Amino acid sequence: VPRNRQDVDRVEKIEEIVRAGERLVRAGGYEALSFSGIAEELGLARGAVYWYFRSKDELFAACAARAIQTALSNPPKRTGYASRIIWAVDQLAAIRPIHTTLQDRARHSKPAATLLQGIQGTLTSQLRELLRPHVTPARLEPVSGAIFVFVQGLLALPLAERERQRHLRFLLRELASDRA
Amino acid sequence: VPRNRQDVDRVEKIEEIVRAGERLVRAGGYEALSFSGIAEELGLARGAVYWYFRSKDELFAACAARAIQTALSNPPKRTGYASRIIWAVDQLAAIRPIHTTLQDRARHSKPAATLLQGIQGTLTSQLRELLRPHVTPARLEPVSGAIFVFVQGLLALPLAERERQRHLRFLLRELASDRA
DNA sequence: ACCTGAACACCGTTCAAGT
DNA sequence: ACCTGAACACCGTTCAAGT
């Protein structure tokens, strides 16, 4: 006897699924994310989840997006540009496995590619705006580009917070101090 | 009637497996690498490959190691330090999917973690030696560290060869020109 | 529109049985 | 030591049948 939850808002049901998926993917990465796992947590049949996400790629992209959004919410105010960058990198580093998998899956998965592109786009432009007051106009583009690449490297490596910050501060001092 | 190939050298049989695996992993990444696929290519039963590799993690690490080794063989001689670094990065970028997956799997897979650690270790020290003549001693450590991180970023991003080289040349000029 | 339960294909892994 | 063939568990995906 199939249950029916047409009374419950569709958006709310999707929310439930993505929340469960975020937990799973935070705990054990892409592998730990499964239709079975989510169905179990929500008391549904495995197939039911397909009503909302047509593939594991879609499901993963949604859960990863939520995890990243969670990580980058509540940024601290009133701090210097270096601290702001470091904060964002630290937040993303805390969910490094998700970021690494996203990078890996983006090759073949359309939803993953789209998500990653969006993240990198906003990251790039925010970085440029943060750096603009501290770099001469002619150098703004190459400098912010280099720092973006550098940040991707920091996120790819399993560094301790201290090392990450040390590397980042060093590079910022080297590249972005021509306009104090 | 099980075939028997005790006459064939064990090392040679492992070589065959890893060669087949390298092809598969180059073509379609980690997903495309399977015991079934290798067995099929070699005309063996699926279970036979387990006699040589006890898990997919071990198999992947071996195939990835071979792919990387292949990529970095035959380095050009008599070129400047910048060109040497760029050459190595280009070679690794050509097998970016393998590198990305390796980074991703290293989290839970012991063989992947060991391989990645080895690669990064040699990369780090070679980088330091290449830079030594061009950087003041006090700056050698932070500079080569930063360039290493930067290279990881270049390998994480799906850049065109031109962009990759542009980024790398910019950073090298910024960080490593204090000892012409 | 939403959900169930069964089915299918594929895969990693194990293992008893063979040579 | 090496290999086969079958078995098991798990998973992504599909779908006819129900409400």
Side-chain angles (χ1 to χ4, degrees), chain B residues 15 18-20 22 26 61-71 115:
Chain B
E15 270 278 309
V18 178
R19 266 201 303 269
E22 187 191 359
R26 269 177 191 274
C63 299
R66 195 188 154 89
I68 292 166
Q69 184 194 316
T70 304
L115 173 61

Side-chain angles (χ1 to χ4, degrees), chain B residues 97-142:
Chain B
I98 293 175
H99 189 262
T100 310
T101 303
L102 190 60
Q103 207 106 31
D104 190 32
R105 300 229 39 98
R107 191 176 6 126
H108 289 123
S109 159
K110 186 86 179 297
T114 306
L115 173 61
L116 187 58
Q117 211 174 326
I119 293 163
Q120 293 183 343
T122 58
L123 208 72
T124 298
S125 64
Q126 289 187 356
L127 210 49
R128 189 172 37 229
E129 294 319 308
L130 277 173
L131 291 170
R132 192 185 295 281
H134 305 89
V135 181
T136 61
R139 277 167 50 82
L140 181 60
E141 211 50 48

Side-chain angles (χ1 to χ4, degrees), chain B residues 17 37 44 48 124 166 175:
Chain B
I17 292 173
L44 292 173
T124 298
R166 192 163 48 76
L175 297 186

Side-chain angles (χ1 to χ4, degrees), chain B residues 9-70:
Chain B
D9 185 24
R10 182 181 169 86
V11 177
E12 173 56 30
K13 283 180 284 189
I14 291 179
E15 270 278 309
E16 277 182 26
I17 292 173
V18 178
R19 266 201 303 269
E22 187 191 359
R23 264 201 305 280
L24 290 174
V25 90
R26 269 177 191 274
Y30 185 81
E31 293 180 14
L33 178 66
S34 71
F35 285 90
S36 311
I38 287 181
E40 203 172 321
E41 266 200 52
L42 268 59
L44 292 173
R46 200 156 73 247
V49 186
Y50 276 87
W51 190 258
Y52 303 95
F53 294 94
R54 282 175 309 178
S55 69
K56 184 165 179 182
D57 279 332
E58 270 190 25
L59 179 63
F60 171 68
C63 299
R66 195 188 154 89
I68 292 166
Q69 184 194 316
T70 304

